Amino acid sequence: MIAAVLVAAVIAVLACGCAASGPEAAVKADLEAMRSANIDPEIIDNLDSVLNDDAKDSFSEFLSKAGSFSYKITSTGEPAEDGSVVVTVRIRTYDFARKYLETWSDYLGEHGVADFVQSQFYALLMQNLSSVKDKDYYKDVQIVCTQPQEGVWQTDAASNMELKDALLGGLVSEIAGLAEVERQE
C-alpha cells in the first residue's frame, strides 16, 4: 500500500500539462516543469504516518534527485493524419529501480516476510534511494504532442506512464512488477 502512495507521490510531482510554441518547445517546457512540481498535501499526510523524520529527510533528497534528470530530444516525427507529432526523448537519471530491488531483496533476506515492518522498510528504502550516486539509467520515451488550437501545443507528459517511469529510473515498473509477482504467489 505504501509503495502505491510512494509512486503516487512522485507521479504527482511529475504531473503537468503545458502549452508552448512547437512540439519540441512544449516537450521541453513540460519536462522542465516536472523537475519542481509540488506534491499533493494529502499524499504528504499519508507518508507522514509511515516515515520517521530521517526517512522524511531522505524522501526529500530522493525527490530532489528525481527532479535532476537530464534529457535530450533525439527525434521529432512528421505530423500524423490527426496532426499529432511524436517527439522522442532520451531520459538519463538515477537507477532508482535497481536500488529499490536491492533494498527489497536485502530487507527480506535479513528479516523475512513474516517479520516485515513497513516503517522499517520504507525508512531504509528512502535512505537508499536518496544515496544513489550515478545517473546510469537511460530510456527513450515517445511523447505525443497535439495542437488543439492554432499555435498552442500540448503534450501527453502528464498522463504518459512510460515517461514517468523513465524519470523515476524504472521505479514505477519495478514496483508494479514486484506487486504482480506477489499477487501470483
Side-chain angles (χ1 to χ4, degrees):
M1 177 179 107
I2 292 301
V5 171
L6 172 65
V7 170
V10 178
I11 286 175
V13 167
L14 300 177
C16 73
C18 301
S21 178
E24 288 186 9
V27 167
K28 288 178 183 179
D30 279 359
L31 288 172
E32 289 302 323
M34 289 177 160
R35 293 186 189 280
S36 61
N38 294 321
I39 298 177
D40 183 335
E42 185 177 326
I43 293 171
I44 294 294
D45 290 343
N46 287 334
L47 288 173
D48 279 347
S49 68
V50 175
L51 301 177
N52 62 30
D53 288 340
D54 290 337
K56 290 174 190 173
D57 290 342
S58 294
F59 180 65
S60 293
E61 288 177 47
F62 160 65
L63 287 178
S64 176
K65 284 188 174 192
S68 70
F69 60 88
S70 58
Y71 63 91
K72 178 181 179 183
I73 294 177
T74 59
S75 68
T76 300
E78 294 297 319
E81 284 185 29
D82 65 358
S84 65
V85 174
V86 174
V87 176
T88 303
V89 179
R90 175 162 292 149
I91 302 295
R92 179 179 179 199
T93 192
Y94 300 95
D95 195 340
F96 295 120
R98 182 177 52 209
K99 189 55 77 174
Y100 175 82
L101 189 55
E102 287 172 8
T103 304
W104 180 256
S105 297
D106 291 348
Y107 185 87
L108 289 183
E110 184 177 327
H111 299 282
V113 175
D115 294 328
F116 183 85
V117 177
Q118 196 173 33
S119 60
Q120 279 181 335
F121 172 74
Y122 284 102
L124 180 62
L125 177 62
M126 291 301 105
Q127 178 184 358
N128 290 346
L129 289 176
S130 68
S131 70
V132 176
K133 300 279 185 234
D134 298 319
K135 290 184 181 180
D136 54 3
Y137 179 90
Y138 295 86
K139 187 171 185 178
D140 289 346
V141 179
Q142 294 184 335
I143 300 172
V144 177
C145 301
T146 57
Q147 194 174 19
Q149 49 185 307
E150 188 65 34
V152 178
W153 285 91
Q154 295 179 337
T155 76
D156 72 344
S159 61
N160 189 324
M161 289 307 293
E162 186 178 354
L163 174 62
K164 292 173 185 178
D165 185 49
L167 294 175
L168 293 173
L171 183 62
V172 175
S173 58
E174 190 64 54
I175 290 172
L178 283 176
E180 184 61 32
V181 167
E182 286 182 22
R183 270 187 241 123
Q184 292 177 358
E185 292 178 351

